[in-house]
Amino acid sequence: MRQIAPIGRASVGCGPLIQPLTDTARPLRQQIFERVRAAGQMARVQLAKELCISPASVTTITSELIDAGLLEAVETLREGEGGRGRPAVALRVRPNTRLVVGIKLSDREHTAVLVDFAGTMLAGEAIPRDPGPMALDAILDAAERLLDRVCTRAGVAREAVEAVGLGVPGFVDCDSGVVHWSPVLLHRHVALQAALRARLGRTVFVDNDANLVTLAELWFGAGRRLSDFAVVTIEHGVGMGFVINHRIYRGSRGMGMELGHTKVQLDGALCRCGQRGCLEAYVADYALVREAQTALNLPLGEMQSVGVMLESLFDHAKAGNAAARSIFRRAGRYLAVGLSNIVNLFDPELIILSGERMRYDYLYASETLAEMHAMMLDTGRDAPQIETHAWGDLLWAHGAAALALHELTEQLLGPSRELAAE
Amino acid sequence: MRQIAPIGRASVGCGPLIQPLTDTARPLRQQIFERVRAAGQMARVQLAKELCISPASVTTITSELIDAGLLEAVETLREGEGGRGRPAVALRVRPNTRLVVGIKLSDREHTAVLVDFAGTMLAGEAIPRDPGPMALDAILDAAERLLDRVCTRAGVAREAVEAVGLGVPGFVDCDSGVVHWSPVLLHRHVALQAALRARLGRTVFVDNDANLVTLAELWFGAGRRLSDFAVVTIEHGVGMGFVINHRIYRGSRGMGMELGHTKVQLDGALCRCGQRGCLEAYVADYALVREAQTALNLPLGEMQSVGVMLESLFDHAKAGNAAARSIFRRAGRYLAVGLSNIVNLFDPELIILSGERMRYDYLYASETLAEMHAMMLDTGRDAPQIETHAWGDLLWAHGAAALALHELTEQLLGPSRELAAE
């Protein structure tokens, strides 16, 4: 993997020809808060420069945000003067203002974290579970148990938690809070957000898991240095998140970025979603396991867990089993198709490959990357950076917490809302 | 084709959960100017509402824009009061401020239009040409001839033209003005913008032709009622443009949206770009013509023009020739793959299919649309609207003029620029 380049022009976005995108509805205080939050800390003069506004405006708005208890001033050392420089003042998010909890539901375990307003994790919990879809009530029970556990561990009351972010795999309309389909839910079109709000008595936000990883990267990872990047998650399914100009893009109705269900083969392999030829049906865990049965010559009907099957398949491939190798080889080639399609459509600065399977060689083998390059347009320029992040489930829960922080911030700082001191 | 729905929530963009995208670098005066330009005319109170800013701010900024000669006030009738209402005041772009020329180079003909600052066409010209790639000098000659012709026809001097927008098919880096590859150019990596600026003595902007059609839609078509839409162009190649929140998205380095070169088949049909399995290699004119030779049983080496071959193929298909039908049928199915991939990734409100070939039944046959629906995720919601616009080359040239207007506006209204009266 190559190292990431320094922040480029697109991060500054004042150039006349590459058109940055606009949202006319977002007030400056929101933009300022987000820049500070993303950077960890930032001096006022830097804010003025990055946002192309006057230092006087920055001073006015940041004073409002400090008065409202959302930002605070901290002393920092001036750049380039080593450890002996005079202290300068930077701004950062005031951490103790609000607490939120992030919960991630998945096939193997449910996880939760409790974080402060600056996103710092105060407690984390995980509950193992049996795979398979669950009824809504069981989901609500699990979420409530996790909420109470992280609160107990952090020594705070449930009432101190201002909001809960919940992530589930599948097709989530994050605007209405309805989960149209998820491998963890027995039913379709479930109003999960409303049900969980009623159960917990807390504000709840719901999103799909790929967006959670993307939010985690935006708040705590790549987003601290880049304005534009794509995240591709490969686990039980294949997901995607996309950040443009420091914001997640969700499509006009909140249902975009379903990379796993783009078609890479007409009338191709059968996908869990019921359609044929989806990228996921060649690359995701279940697609590998499906063929592993044949490659490993297992008796029909003999079931092993997905993890055991994948480990076994990987061992056989390393030991030279041609059928096992061809499964990884094909998955790698189709992954290259998916990645090159992202490059040819979105032209991102960086693609982050995220998920536990990232440790399987085939996914970041030089062959797959070479194939991706061969399928990108020949424009004479470098390919985008590719990084692999093999995060565990806690990262996903951290992303769910970022969702809650993000939505809270929107509500606090959005249009037509007055800033009130705590 | 269904009719387009009224402008939805996404156009207003103040909701908390569907995240609109932000550009912190764009001053309000630019946003105001663009809204007025897109709407044709708009009252100040409506501007304040759409931009979520105070009427006082709108008044201040629009006064600046009027003083600078960019906007003007016009009397209009109040809505809902029929023809007898009291006149109200709306704003519109002052048309006579500046003139620009748009030029579109293509395989069959070169076209040009001269428009005023509001985008109204004052003159148009077309020069037929022999197909095939041209040397840079020949391209510059053609552009100069077209510029002089539209100026003569409109009765203005070349010096009165403030800027020229130029569109070419292929891979264009619109930031550097370099054309990396184009079917109309003999060489790769040509600094076309710089060369044309030197030849014409005018400011020049260059972009690829799919973006031109998208700009034309944004300025003069769908963009007047929608904030988000996709445009797919099917002619000699397959192109795409994408508008988010009233702005064209070009990718982080200005080279995104190459839908025609996304891969829909691993190791598939050979594409003009040299790679295999590109959507274009199944759907574009050249792909149909390539198979037509076999279907029509033409002797190898017997060449006809693309237009004649396509007409003949279409006639045979209508007359029941099974091989000819299968060519259109397959192209339609792959087009459905490309469209469903756009829906699954971008989730647009509207997809506009644009290009001369749109009149061929297969492209908008109910079969193709049904297939697209079958390959979209089942979210329980309606599919995006699909419209077909069979524009001619003058529309593309109009888009090139919109490019010039857009870039001029950016320069006039962008950050750190003072507004000066004419």
Side-chain angles (χ1 to χ4, degrees), chain B residues 64-71 94-99 117 160 162 408 412-413 418-422:
Chain B
E64 271 179 58
L65 291 167
I66 290 171
D67 290 347
L70 300 174
L71 293 185
R94 197 174 144 196
N96 303 322
T97 325
R98 283 170 175 83
L99 299 176
F117 201 49
E162 192 133 349
L408 268 187
L412 284 167
L413 302 173
E418 292 299 315
L419 283 183
E422 287 297 285

Side-chain angles (χ1 to χ4, degrees), chain A residues 261-395:
Chain A
H261 301 280
T262 59
K263 304 298 176 285
V264 292
Q265 177 81 44
L266 197 54
D267 304 325
L270 188 65
C271 179
R272 291 187 300 175
C273 75
Q275 300 180 0
R276 287 197 171 273
C278 298
L279 177 61
E280 196 169 294
Y282 294 95
V283 171
D285 288 2
Y286 77 87
L288 304 189
V289 165
R290 187 163 61 186
E291 289 205 322
Q293 200 125 15
T294 312
L296 304 180
N297 216 3
L298 297 178
L300 268 179
E302 182 174 312
M303 288 307 293
Q304 291 175 308
S305 82
V306 169
V308 170
M309 292 275 277
L310 283 175
E311 285 298 337
S312 173
L313 188 67
F314 191 48
D315 289 343
H316 276 83
K318 277 190 295 189
N321 177 327
R325 290 179 95 98
S326 86
I327 292 176
F328 286 110
R329 173 84 189 108
R330 190 177 78 160
R333 294 194 74 203
Y334 273 104
L335 178 61
V337 169
L339 294 177
S340 71
N341 284 351
I342 291 175
V343 175
N344 289 338
L345 282 175
F346 294 94
D347 184 24
E349 286 182 76
L350 164 72
I351 300 178
I352 296 167
L353 300 178
S354 188
E356 277 198 42
R357 296 298 160 257
M358 287 306 137
R359 65 199 173 78
Y360 292 130
D361 283 346
Y362 83 92
L363 282 173
Y364 44 94
S366 53
E367 274 178 341
T368 295
L369 290 184
E371 199 123 35
M372 181 196 88
H373 285 222
M375 290 191 273
M376 284 166 39
L377 286 181
D378 172 24
T379 59
R381 296 168 323 160
D382 285 344
Q385 312 290 333
I386 309 276
E387 291 181 9
T388 56
H389 296 176
W391 304 111
D393 274 0
L394 269 190
L395 184 274

Side-chain angles (χ1 to χ4, degrees), chain A residues 54-317:
Chain A
S54 73
S57 303
V58 170
T59 302
T60 308
I61 296 166
T62 55
S63 298
E64 272 179 57
L65 291 168
I66 289 171
D67 290 346
L70 301 174
L71 293 185
E72 64 185 15
V74 284
E75 287 202 341
T76 176
L77 290 177
R78 284 184 199 282
E79 247 180 73
E81 295 182 13
R84 292 179 304 171
R86 283 172 303 139
V89 173
L91 299 168
R92 71 172 181 197
V93 173
R94 197 175 144 196
N96 304 321
T97 325
R98 282 169 175 85
L99 299 176
V100 305
V101 164
I103 299 177
K104 159 80 192 299
L105 304 176
S106 80
D107 229 31
R108 284 158 310 167
E109 61 175 2
H110 302 318
T111 44
V113 296
L114 191 145
V115 307
D116 66 20
F117 202 49
T120 305
M121 188 170 104
L122 306 179
E125 282 284 343
I127 308 177
R129 58 161 300 222
D130 295 330
M134 297 163 76
L136 176 60
D137 261 349
I139 292 272
L140 300 179
D141 290 345
E144 188 166 25
R145 222 167 102 214
L146 275 167
L147 173 63
D148 287 337
R149 280 210 197 175
V150 283
C151 285
T152 305
R153 180 165 292 234
V156 300
R158 192 203 274 199
E159 289 65 36
V161 174
E162 191 132 352
V164 174
L166 179 73
V168 290
F171 311 148
V172 182
D173 183 338
C174 63
D175 195 25
S176 67
V178 171
V179 179
H180 290 290
W181 174 84
S182 169
V184 304
L185 268 172
L186 262 181
H187 302 282
R188 281 179 180 247
H189 313 301
V190 175
L192 188 55
Q193 181 178 8
L196 193 59
R197 190 197 304 126
R199 170 69 75 94
L200 302 180
R202 309 279 87 200
T203 303
V204 172
F205 305 103
V206 185
D207 206 340
N208 91 45
D209 49 4
N211 276 342
L212 296 189
V213 180
T214 309
L215 273 168
E217 292 285 355
L218 178 61
W219 278 63
F220 315 118
R224 299 208 154 178
R225 57 197 153 92
L226 275 182
S227 59
D228 299 71
F229 58 91
V231 174
V232 174
T233 61
I234 305 170
E235 294 216 333
H236 299 280
V238 173
M240 178 178 172
F242 190 56
V243 171
I244 310 178
N245 219 347
H246 303 286
R247 309 279 287 181
I248 284 196
Y249 177 70
R250 297 174 197 271
S252 69
R253 296 168 301 179
M255 293 287 298
M257 297 302 136
E258 287 292 349
L259 177 70
H261 301 280
T262 59
K263 304 298 176 285
V264 292
Q265 177 81 44
L266 197 54
D267 304 325
L270 188 65
C271 179
R272 291 187 300 175
C273 75
Q275 300 180 0
R276 287 197 171 273
C278 298
L279 177 61
E280 196 169 294
Y282 294 95
V283 171
D285 288 2
Y286 77 87
L288 304 189
V289 165
R290 187 163 61 186
E291 289 205 322
Q293 200 125 15
T294 312
L296 304 180
N297 216 3
L298 297 178
L300 268 179
E302 182 174 312
M303 288 307 293
Q304 291 175 308
S305 82
V306 169
V308 170
M309 292 275 277
L310 283 175
E311 285 298 337
S312 173
L313 188 67
F314 191 48
D315 289 343
H316 276 83

